[in-house]
Amino acid sequence: MRNVVFAYHDIGIACLEELWAGEDDVALVVTHADRHGENVWWRSVRELAERRAVPVVVDPDLHAPDFAAQLSALAPDFVFSFMFRQLLPPELLAIPLRGALNLHPSALPKYRGRSPINWVLVNGERETGVTLHHMVEKADRGDIVAQRTFPIAEEDTALTLHRRAVDEARILFHETYPLLRAGRAPRVPQDSGEASYFGGRRPEDGAIDWRWSARRIYDLVRAVTHPYPGAFTTHAHRRLFVWWARPDEHRLDLAPGELEVGSDTVRVGTGRGALRLERVQAEGDTERDARDWALAAAVRPRDYLELHR
């Protein structure tokens, strides 16, 4: 069995390792160069493939006839996409003899699109998953072959959820690839009535609106805390990153954005409840305990954070 793999990120690593654990051939790995200025905290697919002396192509023009010819010459049985950042065009999807499949880090048909691990936290979901599905021209819409779901814990961040997704993707692919090889893997059409789609996220999307509920703000904080760009607000004309906080939904006496500095806590009023700040970082400063920041910033009674973005 011969495979061509389009892969990036830790899920790409995990699924490639599962393929290499067997005897089947990985004839080519296609991956991305890391973006300039991006905080790269995941392992390199390119380095892993090169250590195994597997041919690697980095950021090809997927629509170029020469690239399609290169893939066709390999006569792959399967083409797999594991966290690859581009959609494969129809002319590439038609090349493999037995199918072209993608591993998506959500419980499809929910959370089609980009950044699903961040979005499920932003939206306060209690469960997510990983899904292996056939690729079609439009993103994340093909028939489902296999899926694993798992709960989202109260203190999960995007990083801890990402690590869980890597583990679940490894298990899913380990269990499902033999069925694909044997021609016994199921194909279940997606229910478009249950589908949702979300686009990519930008650093500016971390802006806090203190009119939101404490729970909603907490979900944003944990969705974009380290190693992501962070949730932020403004105090005294300086951006203030909130790296960790906890909701205090029973405190209803603080106005949205109003700061309260106690003997060992810093709270901020929200549209419903309060948010207890724990780790913050003023722009140009180092990350620190929230109360240390409040003392250094000379926060006064009835001092406010900027109310909204």
Side-chain angles (χ1 to χ4, degrees):
M1 200 71 66
R2 172 170 285 193
N3 300 298
V4 169
V5 177
F6 292 72
Y8 194 61
H9 228 290
D10 291 331
I11 285 179
I13 294 275
C15 293
L16 269 169
E17 288 175 341
E18 285 301 315
L19 276 174
W20 281 322
E23 298 180 355
D24 288 350
D25 180 28
V26 177
L28 180 70
V29 170
V30 184
T31 190
H32 301 292
D34 297 325
R35 293 170 179 166
H36 178 71
E38 188 169 24
N39 177 23
V40 178
W41 46 271
W42 51 88
R43 296 167 63 193
S44 169
V45 167
R46 179 179 186 174
E47 291 177 5
L48 181 65
E50 288 176 344
R51 286 201 301 271
R52 299 185 66 96
V54 174
V56 180
V57 175
V58 179
D59 290 324
D61 179 354
L62 300 183
H63 297 275
D66 288 351
F67 183 67
Q70 180 182 1
L71 259 61
S72 293
L74 294 172
D77 293 285
F78 289 105
V79 164
F80 291 108
S81 174
F82 305 131
M83 297 295 284
F84 197 72
R85 285 174 162 172
Q86 293 175 265
L87 289 177
L88 273 58
E91 57 267 28
L92 299 187
L93 299 181
I95 289 173
L97 303 175
R98 304 184 65 178
L101 298 99
N102 176 58
L103 195 294
H104 184 73
S106 82
L108 291 175
K110 296 179 180 178
Y111 290 90
R112 293 171 175 171
R114 298 185 180 276
S115 307
I117 290 175
N118 305 90
W119 277 116
V120 294
L121 290 169
V122 167
N123 292 334
E125 300 286 1
R126 300 298 180 90
E127 183 181 79
T128 188
V130 292
T131 306
L132 186 67
H133 67 96
H134 286 271
M135 285 186 279
V136 294
E137 186 172 358
K138 293 186 177 181
D140 308 323
R141 297 193 184 192
D143 293 349
I144 291 174
V145 172
Q147 184 174 96
R148 289 178 65 86
T149 59
F150 48 92
I152 299 173
E154 172 69 15
E155 294 195 1
D156 263 328
T157 67
L159 180 59
T160 63
L161 204 58
H162 166 80
R163 288 171 175 163
R164 178 69 184 276
V166 171
D167 292 341
E168 296 291 339
R170 186 187 297 275
I171 295 168
L172 181 147
F173 196 72
H174 176 80
E175 293 176 345
T176 308
Y177 183 62
L179 299 178
L180 289 167
R181 291 180 83 256
R184 295 188 289 108
R187 291 188 66 147
V188 180
Q190 294 189 37
D191 182 353
S192 59
E194 295 292 322
S196 59
Y197 177 87
F198 293 86
R201 292 188 60 82
R202 306 164 300 166
E204 310 90 84
D205 295 329
I208 295 170
D209 187 330
W210 294 106
R211 296 170 298 184
W212 295 342
S213 69
R215 168 62 54 174
R216 181 176 176 183
I217 296 169
Y218 169 68
D219 286 336
L220 173 64
V221 168
R222 66 193 185 121
V224 296
T225 192
H226 299 304
Y228 292 91
F232 62 88
T233 184
T234 301
H235 178 261
H237 308 293
R238 294 176 70 189
R239 180 166 289 191
L240 180 71
F241 290 93
V242 179
W243 292 115
W244 194 245
R246 295 177 187 273
D248 187 348
E249 297 174 270
H250 300 293
R251 281 294 303 270
L252 304 175
D253 55 324
L254 296 174
E258 183 180 355
L259 281 159
E260 176 192 77
V261 181
S263 59
D264 59 355
T265 60
V266 178
R267 289 184 173 85
V268 188
T270 74
R272 185 167 69 249
L275 193 74
R276 188 170 75 248
L277 305 184
E278 296 196 358
R279 301 291 299 176
V280 301
Q281 181 180 3
E283 194 168 26
D285 201 352
T286 57
E287 181 181 338
R288 60 174 71 185
D289 178 84
R291 193 168 187 281
D292 291 343
W293 161 78
L295 293 175
V299 173
R300 303 182 303 273
R302 297 195 61 77
D303 206 351
Y304 281 79
L305 298 173
E306 184 177 279
L307 188 59
H308 58 85
R309 65 182 73 188

